[in-house]
Amino acid sequence: MPYHRGGDASSQADKLSGIVEESDLYEGFAPHVETSGIKTLDFYNLPKPTGKEPALRSYTEIQQLLQQGKKRDVKNILRENSWPINSPIRSQLWPMLCGQHQTKEHMLDGFYWEMVHQVFGTTELSEKPIMLPAFVDATHCLPYHLTSTGRAVADRIVNVLGYDCPDITYSPVLYPITSILLHFMSEEEAYVCLAGLVGSKEKVFINQTKLQHEVTWKTVMQIAKKHTKSATSYFQRICPGLKLERVFMDWCWWILAGLPFQHLVRIMDCYFHEGIKVLYRVALVILNLFHKECQSNNEWSPDNIKNDIGNALIKFCKKIPVSPAKLLHAAFSIRGLSTQYISRIFIKTEMLLKSRSVLTSGSKQLIKSRSSDNLPTSQSQVNIQMMSHTLTIRELFTLWSWLPVRITMYQPVLLYTTEEHGCSLTTFYVRVEQHEPTLLMIKTCNNEVFGAYCSSRWFERNVKDDKGQRQAYFGTGETFLFSLYPERAKYPWVGIEGDKDLGHSSELFMAADSKMITIGGGEGQAIWMDENIRFGKTDSCKTFNNPPLCPSGDFEIRVLEVYGFVGI
C-alpha cells in the first residue's frame, strides 16, 4: 500500500524547496530509493554562491500560478529554478504538473489499488518476478536508484497501466519514466502521474506505438539536420558508411540512459509541464556538445568513435562537461524550434511512413501494431455501414487508409447527419463542436461524395486572439480533403511537402461562423456550405492545392454526415 509522509507535506516541501540545511540529505526521496549512490552536491567547478541569487520558488507559488492559468509563468519558473536533487518539492510538484494533463474522469481515490487487486488478485507485493507487458523494451528497464522493492513496484505499475490502457503497443520509455517518478512519490501517485502523461491530448509525453516511436526519432533527425547541421555533417563525414538513422534511433537513450541522474531530474522538472519537446531540445544540445568535444578531446577522436558513434554518445553523456543548469539554458536558447514547427515535421514524417507502408527494407524492422495495419476493424465496418448514407465498404477502406494511424485505433461514431438531425448549422455545432478530430462527408444531389478530415474542434471558431478578436481560420496541417466519387483522391496540406514557408494563404484550414462553414482557403475555398446546410460550392485553393471536388463547382447537399471517434 502507498506510504504517506507525516505532517503537512505542502509546508514541508515549501520550506525545503530551495535549501538544504540540517535536514536529512535524502529527505526528498521515497522509501524505495537506494540513496547512497545519489550525488546531492554539484560536482562541477561552479562559482560559489554570492548570496545575491534569487530564492527558489515554492510549491505553493507554482500551484497558485497554475490555478490562475499562468502556464507560461510556470514554464519559466521550472526552467530557471535549480532545486537540489533531494528537494522535497518534487513530491508534490511532479504530481501537480502531471495531473494537469489528466483526462480520465474515473481516476478516483483508491482506483489504482482496485486495479492492482483486479490484475494480481492481491495488493501485496509479490516476491516473485512479474512478467512485463509486451510494450516494454526489456533492454531498457532502467531502475536508476530504486531498491529491489522499488523495481518490483515499477514492474507492477507498468503492468496495471498496460491492463488499463490496452491501446499501448510499444512504449520503451514508459518504464524509465515510471522509475524516475518513483524516486519522489508513492506507487499510487506515480501511477496517476503516468496515466496523465499517457492520456494527455494537448501535448505528447510518451509514445505508445511502434509507428509513433519511429516517427519521433525520425523527427529528431530531421530537426537535427537543420539545427545542428555542423554536428550531423561531421558524423556523416568521419563515418561515410554510417547511416544517421542508426544513431538517431537511440536518441532518447542519450538522455534517459546516459545523463547523470542530477541532470535527468532537472530535465523532468520541465518535461512534466512542457512535454517531449524538452527532450528534443536537450538531444540537440548533446549533439553540439559532443561535436565540440570530438574536435578538442582525443578521447572522442574520429578513430575512437567512428565504429560506434551511438555508444560513444551515451558514454559522453555519462560524464557530460556541463551542469544541469547550463544544459537546460542551452536547450531553451535554441531559436526557431516552435511547437508548430515540430508538429509540421512530425506530421510530414508520419505521412511519409504511411505512404511507404511504415518501413523500407533497409532500416530496423518494426513489428506492426494493431493500428499500423490501418484497416478498419470489423466493428468499425459494422458501425459505419449501419449509420452511413454515403459510404460503400470499398469507400470505407479507402478513407480509412488515409486517416492518421493513431485515429484508426478508435471506433467511429456518427455525431451528426442531416437525415436524422435536420439541416441547421446551429444543430451541427451543438452536436459536433467539442469533438476532435471529425470526419465530414458530403453526398450531393448528383451523387458526388467528398469531404474533409478536420483536425481541430469546430468550437475553436469562438477562440479569440490577444486583441480580443475571433480568429478567422483555425486547424492544423493534419487536416486534409478527399474525394470518393466519381474520383478517388486525397489532398493533404501543401506544407507537408517541405519545410519552406508557403505564406499565410497555405494555412487556411478551417473557418466557421453562424452563417457558413469553410474548409481550405487561398484564392478559393475548397468546401463552403451555407447556414441551412443545403447549398455549397467548391474551388481549388492554396492550402490543399486541390481541384474543385465536384465538376460543377456549385452543389446541392443531399446528405451531410459528421463522424467522431470514441475514446479520444
Side-chain angles (χ1 to χ4, degrees), residues 17-251:
S17 64
I19 57 173
V20 179
E21 294 178 347
E22 297 178 359
S23 60
D24 180 357
L25 284 176
Y26 302 105
E27 190 169 356
F29 296 108
H32 38 250
V33 176
E34 178 53 65
T35 56
S36 60
I38 300 177
K39 297 178 181 179
T40 59
L41 302 177
D42 214 328
F43 40 87
Y44 302 100
N45 296 319
L46 299 177
K48 293 184 178 181
T50 62
K52 298 180 180 179
E53 294 81 5
L56 295 175
R57 305 296 283 271
S58 70
Y59 165 77
T60 301
E61 290 176 288
I62 299 173
Q63 181 187 42
Q64 290 172 348
L65 288 172
L66 269 185
Q67 290 172 345
Q68 295 166 7
K70 297 181 178 179
K71 293 188 177 184
R72 183 179 293 273
D73 292 343
V74 172
K75 178 181 73 174
N76 292 333
I77 288 173
L78 295 172
R79 290 180 176 187
E80 296 167 3
N81 282 243
S82 296
W83 294 284
I85 192 172
N86 58 319
S87 171
I89 192 174
R90 293 186 179 90
S91 66
Q92 287 194 297
L93 177 63
W94 284 9
M96 179 178 68
L97 295 176
C98 296
Q100 66 181 319
H101 313 298
Q102 182 62 257
T103 57
K104 288 193 175 183
E105 297 179 0
H106 68 268
M107 197 65 66
L108 304 174
D109 289 342
F111 171 80
Y112 173 69
W113 295 108
E114 291 177 7
M115 291 288 293
V116 169
H117 195 276
Q118 191 172 344
V119 175
F120 297 102
T122 178
T123 57
E124 296 298 321
L125 194 62
S126 174
E127 295 181 359
K128 297 180 180 179
I130 301 173
M131 182 177 290
L132 294 172
F135 62 74
V136 172
D137 181 352
T139 61
H140 288 104
C141 291
L142 305 173
Y144 301 106
H145 300 284
L146 293 180
T147 63
S148 58
T149 299
R151 297 180 190 188
V153 168
D155 291 351
R156 182 159 71 174
I157 290 174
V158 170
N159 266 280
V160 173
L161 190 70
Y163 182 84
D164 189 35
C165 305
D167 290 333
I168 302 176
T169 56
Y170 186 72
S171 188
V173 305
L174 200 149
Y175 194 101
I177 298 297
T178 303
S179 296
I180 295 168
L181 286 167
L182 282 172
H183 283 69
F184 299 96
M185 62 189 71
S186 70
E187 179 176 354
E188 183 176 19
E189 289 170 324
Y191 177 83
V192 173
C193 286
L194 277 174
L197 300 178
V198 167
S200 173
K201 289 185 172 65
E202 291 186 4
K203 297 175 181 176
V204 176
F205 291 89
I206 297 175
N207 292 321
Q208 298 167 47
T209 67
K210 288 248 182 182
L211 179 65
Q212 289 176 356
H213 178 75
E214 188 186 10
V215 172
T216 298
W217 69 253
K218 288 194 171 182
T219 297
V220 173
M221 182 174 67
Q222 292 303 318
I223 293 171
K225 286 180 178 179
K226 178 177 179 180
H227 290 271
T228 59
K229 192 173 182 179
S230 296
T232 51
S233 298
Y234 174 78
F235 298 137
Q236 194 74 75
R237 188 169 63 252
I238 65 172
C239 305
L242 173 73
K243 287 189 175 182
L244 278 178
E245 285 87 347
R246 292 286 175 181
V247 177
F248 284 94
M249 280 180 179
D250 292 330
W251 78 279

